PDB file of all heavy atoms in Angstrom:
ATOM      1  N   LYS A 424    -123.039 142.478  28.902  1.00  0.00           N
ATOM      2  CA  LYS A 424    -121.859 143.211  29.328  1.00  0.00           C
ATOM      3  C   LYS A 424    -120.848 142.216  29.898  1.00  0.00           C
ATOM      4  O   LYS A 424    -121.186 141.352  30.689  1.00  0.00           O
ATOM      5  CB  LYS A 424    -122.231 144.250  30.377  1.00  0.00           C
ATOM      6  CG  LYS A 424    -121.107 145.167  30.733  1.00  0.00           C
ATOM      7  CD  LYS A 424    -121.650 146.443  31.344  1.00  0.00           C
ATOM      8  CE  LYS A 424    -120.559 147.329  31.835  1.00  0.00           C
ATOM      9  NZ  LYS A 424    -119.866 148.043  30.814  1.00  0.00           N
ATOM     10  N   ALA A 425    -119.612 142.387  29.464  1.00  0.00           N
ATOM     11  CA  ALA A 425    -118.547 141.500  29.944  1.00  0.00           C
ATOM     12  C   ALA A 425    -118.298 141.747  31.422  1.00  0.00           C
ATOM     13  O   ALA A 425    -118.374 142.869  31.906  1.00  0.00           O
ATOM     14  CB  ALA A 425    -117.270 141.741  29.148  1.00  0.00           C
ATOM     15  N   ASP A 426    -117.988 140.689  32.152  1.00  0.00           N
ATOM     16  CA  ASP A 426    -117.630 140.793  33.552  1.00  0.00           C
ATOM     17  C   ASP A 426    -116.259 141.453  33.632  1.00  0.00           C
ATOM     18  O   ASP A 426    -115.293 140.977  33.044  1.00  0.00           O
ATOM     19  CB  ASP A 426    -117.593 139.398  34.174  1.00  0.00           C
ATOM     20  CG  ASP A 426    -117.268 139.404  35.652  1.00  0.00           C
ATOM     21  OD1 ASP A 426    -117.182 140.500  36.240  1.00  0.00           O
ATOM     22  OD2 ASP A 426    -117.096 138.313  36.213  1.00  0.00           O
ATOM     23  N   SER A 427    -116.157 142.557  34.363  1.00  0.00           N
ATOM     24  CA  SER A 427    -114.896 143.310  34.390  1.00  0.00           C
ATOM     25  C   SER A 427    -113.747 142.534  35.029  1.00  0.00           C
ATOM     26  O   SER A 427    -112.596 142.791  34.737  1.00  0.00           O
ATOM     27  CB  SER A 427    -115.087 144.636  35.127  1.00  0.00           C
ATOM     28  OG  SER A 427    -115.493 144.383  36.455  1.00  0.00           O
ATOM     29  N   GLY A 428    -114.047 141.584  35.870  1.00  0.00           N
ATOM     30  CA  GLY A 428    -112.978 140.835  36.514  1.00  0.00           C
ATOM     31  C   GLY A 428    -112.739 139.486  35.868  1.00  0.00           C
ATOM     32  O   GLY A 428    -111.893 138.728  36.296  1.00  0.00           O
ATOM     33  N   GLY A 429    -113.511 139.207  34.827  1.00  0.00           N
ATOM     34  CA  GLY A 429    -113.443 137.882  34.234  1.00  0.00           C
ATOM     35  C   GLY A 429    -112.455 137.778  33.100  1.00  0.00           C
ATOM     36  O   GLY A 429    -111.482 138.504  33.020  1.00  0.00           O
ATOM     37  N   GLY A 430    -112.767 136.892  32.251  1.00  0.00           N
ATOM     38  CA  GLY A 430    -111.887 136.612  31.133  1.00  0.00           C
ATOM     39  C   GLY A 430    -111.257 135.250  31.316  1.00  0.00           C
ATOM     40  O   GLY A 430    -111.484 134.574  32.305  1.00  0.00           O
ATOM     41  N   TRP A 431    -110.482 134.877  30.381  1.00  0.00           N
ATOM     42  CA  TRP A 431    -109.811 133.590  30.423  1.00  0.00           C
ATOM     43  C   TRP A 431    -108.395 133.781  30.904  1.00  0.00           C
ATOM     44  O   TRP A 431    -107.707 134.704  30.495  1.00  0.00           O
ATOM     45  CB  TRP A 431    -109.792 132.964  29.031  1.00  0.00           C
ATOM     46  CG  TRP A 431    -111.136 132.587  28.552  1.00  0.00           C
ATOM     47  CD1 TRP A 431    -111.984 133.334  27.802  1.00  0.00           C
ATOM     48  CD2 TRP A 431    -111.813 131.373  28.815  1.00  0.00           C
ATOM     49  NE1 TRP A 431    -113.140 132.669  27.578  1.00  0.00           N
ATOM     50  CE2 TRP A 431    -113.072 131.451  28.183  1.00  0.00           C
ATOM     51  CE3 TRP A 431    -111.497 130.218  29.533  1.00  0.00           C
ATOM     52  CZ2 TRP A 431    -114.001 130.416  28.230  1.00  0.00           C
ATOM     53  CZ3 TRP A 431    -112.421 129.189  29.563  1.00  0.00           C
ATOM     54  CH2 TRP A 431    -113.656 129.294  28.928  1.00  0.00           C
ATOM     55  N   LEU A 432    -107.962 132.907  31.783  1.00  0.00           N
ATOM     56  CA  LEU A 432    -106.578 132.920  32.235  1.00  0.00           C
ATOM     57  C   LEU A 432    -105.952 131.628  31.745  1.00  0.00           C
ATOM     58  O   LEU A 432    -106.376 130.538  32.100  1.00  0.00           O
ATOM     59  CB  LEU A 432    -106.491 132.994  33.760  1.00  0.00           C
ATOM     60  CG  LEU A 432    -105.085 132.893  34.345  1.00  0.00           C
ATOM     61  CD1 LEU A 432    -104.217 134.046  33.829  1.00  0.00           C
ATOM     62  CD2 LEU A 432    -105.131 132.905  35.855  1.00  0.00           C
ATOM     63  N   LEU A 433    -104.992 131.790  30.877  1.00  0.00           N
ATOM     64  CA  LEU A 433    -104.277 130.629  30.376  1.00  0.00           C
ATOM     65  C   LEU A 433    -102.858 130.720  30.894  1.00  0.00           C
ATOM     66  O   LEU A 433    -102.195 131.738  30.754  1.00  0.00           O
ATOM     67  CB  LEU A 433    -104.276 130.610  28.846  1.00  0.00           C
ATOM     68  CG  LEU A 433    -105.663 130.568  28.197  1.00  0.00           C
ATOM     69  CD1 LEU A 433    -105.524 130.665  26.691  1.00  0.00           C
ATOM     70  CD2 LEU A 433    -106.393 129.301  28.577  1.00  0.00           C
ATOM     71  N   GLY A 434    -102.396 129.677  31.489  1.00  0.00           N
ATOM     72  CA  GLY A 434    -101.038 129.697  32.020  1.00  0.00           C
ATOM     73  C   GLY A 434    -100.405 128.335  31.899  1.00  0.00           C
ATOM     74  O   GLY A 434    -101.056 127.349  31.573  1.00  0.00           O
ATOM     75  N   PHE A 435     -99.161 128.298  32.135  1.00  0.00           N
ATOM     76  CA  PHE A 435     -98.451 127.029  32.119  1.00  0.00           C
ATOM     77  C   PHE A 435     -97.282 127.141  33.075  1.00  0.00           C
ATOM     78  O   PHE A 435     -96.847 128.224  33.428  1.00  0.00           O
ATOM     79  CB  PHE A 435     -97.980 126.663  30.699  1.00  0.00           C
ATOM     80  CG  PHE A 435     -97.059 127.666  30.090  1.00  0.00           C
ATOM     81  CD1 PHE A 435     -95.678 127.530  30.230  1.00  0.00           C
ATOM     82  CD2 PHE A 435     -97.553 128.756  29.405  1.00  0.00           C
ATOM     83  CE1 PHE A 435     -94.821 128.465  29.677  1.00  0.00           C
ATOM     84  CE2 PHE A 435     -96.700 129.689  28.852  1.00  0.00           C
ATOM     85  CZ  PHE A 435     -95.320 129.534  28.982  1.00  0.00           C
ATOM     86  N   GLY A 436     -96.811 126.006  33.478  1.00  0.00           N
ATOM     87  CA  GLY A 436     -95.660 125.983  34.385  1.00  0.00           C
ATOM     88  C   GLY A 436     -94.527 125.204  33.754  1.00  0.00           C
ATOM     89  O   GLY A 436     -94.726 124.344  32.922  1.00  0.00           O
ATOM     90  N   VAL A 437     -93.337 125.529  34.161  1.00  0.00           N
ATOM     91  CA  VAL A 437     -92.164 124.819  33.674  1.00  0.00           C
ATOM     92  C   VAL A 437     -91.449 124.276  34.894  1.00  0.00           C
ATOM     93  O   VAL A 437     -91.181 124.996  35.852  1.00  0.00           O
ATOM     94  CB  VAL A 437     -91.233 125.764  32.887  1.00  0.00           C
ATOM     95  CG1 VAL A 437     -89.972 125.031  32.455  1.00  0.00           C
ATOM     96  CG2 VAL A 437     -91.962 126.356  31.697  1.00  0.00           C
ATOM     97  N   VAL A 438     -91.149 122.979  34.878  1.00  0.00           N
ATOM     98  CA  VAL A 438     -90.429 122.356  35.973  1.00  0.00           C
ATOM     99  C   VAL A 438     -88.962 122.281  35.580  1.00  0.00           C
ATOM    100  O   VAL A 438     -88.616 121.734  34.537  1.00  0.00           O
ATOM    101  CB  VAL A 438     -90.981 120.951  36.271  1.00  0.00           C
ATOM    102  CG1 VAL A 438     -90.172 120.286  37.382  1.00  0.00           C
ATOM    103  CG2 VAL A 438     -92.461 121.034  36.628  1.00  0.00           C
ATOM    104  N   LEU A 439     -88.124 122.863  36.420  1.00  0.00           N
ATOM    105  CA  LEU A 439     -86.678 122.828  36.157  1.00  0.00           C
ATOM    106  C   LEU A 439     -86.024 121.967  37.225  1.00  0.00           C
ATOM    107  O   LEU A 439     -86.369 122.032  38.408  1.00  0.00           O
ATOM    108  CB  LEU A 439     -86.089 124.239  36.223  1.00  0.00           C
ATOM    109  CG  LEU A 439     -86.635 125.230  35.191  1.00  0.00           C
ATOM    110  CD1 LEU A 439     -86.070 126.611  35.473  1.00  0.00           C
ATOM    111  CD2 LEU A 439     -86.272 124.788  33.793  1.00  0.00           C
ATOM    112  N   PRO A 440     -85.033 121.161  36.833  1.00  0.00           N
ATOM    113  CA  PRO A 440     -84.343 120.359  37.848  1.00  0.00           C
ATOM    114  C   PRO A 440     -83.527 121.274  38.780  1.00  0.00           C
ATOM    115  O   PRO A 440     -82.963 122.256  38.354  1.00  0.00           O
ATOM    116  CB  PRO A 440     -83.430 119.448  37.024  1.00  0.00           C
ATOM    117  CG  PRO A 440     -83.333 120.082  35.694  1.00  0.00           C
ATOM    118  CD  PRO A 440     -84.538 120.944  35.493  1.00  0.00           C
TER     119      PRO A 440
END
Side-chain angles (χ1 to χ4, degrees):
K424 188 159 174 77
D426 182 6
S427 60
W431 293 93
L432 175 61
L433 300 175
F435 60 92
V437 177
V438 177
L439 298 174

